[in-house]
Each structure stands twice: as C-alpha cells, then as structure tokens.
Amino acid sequence: MNRNIYQFVAALASGVVFGFGLSVSGMLNPVRVRGFLDVFGAWDPSLAFVLGGAVVVTFLGVHIMKRMKRPAFDKSFHVPTNRRIDGPLVVGSALFGLGWGIGGFCPGPAVASLSVGLPQTLLFVIAMLVGMTLYDRVWSRRT
C-alpha cells in the first residue's frame, strides 16, 4: 500500500480512539469542563484524572519517539523546534484558556461534540474556525 494510505488510516484510527476517549471521559460535556475549571466554586476534580492520564501517555510517547529513528509512516518526526516563550505564545495561551473556560471546549472535543448536535457546539466551532482563519490571514503573515 501507498504510504499516504497508511498515514490516513493511522490518523483516522488515532482520531477515533481520541474521540472515544473524549466521550468516555466526559470532555464532550462543556458543563463538566467548566465545573473542572471552577476551582473557587463547585469544583469537579474528575477531569484532573483525564488530564493526568493524558500527561502520562504523552510522556511515554515522547520517550518512545526519542528512541525511534523515524516514525512508522513518514520520513521524519514533525516536532516543534522553537522553545522560546514569547508574547504571541503567552497571548495565544491566554486566549485558548479563556475560550476553554467560557465555552467549555478546546478544539478537539469541540469538533467531536458536533456529533451530539447541540447548537452551542456548532456556534463554538464556527467561532473557533473564524478565529483560526483570522489568525492565518492577518497575524501569521507578519512573521
């Protein structure tokens, strides 16, 4: 088979497993996510275990990746090389956090939540795509 087909199947399988994990963990429920972020109110700590599990899986994945010469379905790994913390990174992180807190979604769960059919999910995804497009058309061209 062609390498592109392997890449597509691997990405599709990863996305299905990721989406299933988001659903099982409750990350598709914006009320639950906002409850987790409400540390000074009615805090719901259950998603801390989800985040902790994600950190463990990522930690193991990075260590496995470092021992590999190349990925299974590509010529090289595509990892960021810039390790600098600058203004755009801090502002982008703050905007991401605000969006997560207000909407109860981050990009992956928002797209997965479209399958639930809630109108606020569709509104969030549209706003997210508009923001991404705006960034791509305006700010990314400045660098």
Side-chain angles (χ1 to χ4, degrees):
M1 266 206 240
N2 186 338
R3 183 187 339 209
N4 290 337
I5 293 172
Y6 285 130
Q7 288 174 334
F8 175 80
V9 170
L12 181 63
S14 297
V16 167
V17 170
F18 181 67
F20 181 73
L22 291 173
S23 178
V24 169
S25 68
M27 291 289 290
L28 301 185
N29 183 352
V31 173
R32 191 164 180 194
V33 172
R34 283 193 297 267
F36 170 70
L37 296 173
D38 187 9
V39 293
F40 299 113
W43 186 52
D44 177 3
S46 62
L47 293 184
F49 295 105
V50 175
L51 294 173
V55 168
V56 170
V57 169
T58 301
F59 178 81
L60 293 173
V62 167
H63 281 295
I64 291 169
M65 179 195 75
K66 286 181 178 179
R67 293 182 178 187
M68 295 173 68
K69 291 183 180 180
R70 66 177 191 82
F73 305 121
D74 206 347
K75 294 177 183 174
S76 65
F77 290 103
H78 303 278
V79 294
T81 56
N82 184 1
R83 300 174 70 73
R84 192 174 56 129
I85 297 174
D86 57 6
L89 177 65
V90 172
V91 170
S93 300
L95 285 172
F96 177 88
L98 284 170
W100 195 36
I102 293 168
F105 289 117
C106 57
V111 171
S113 292
L114 287 173
S115 64
V116 177
L118 299 173
Q120 61 265 34
T121 304
L122 181 60
L123 180 63
F124 181 90
V125 171
I126 290 170
M128 177 182 73
L129 293 173
V130 167
M132 289 175 168
T133 303
L134 183 64
Y135 171 80
D136 186 55
R137 303 265 168 119
V138 177
W139 283 281
S140 69
R141 305 231 192 280
R142 293 180 180 184
T143 59

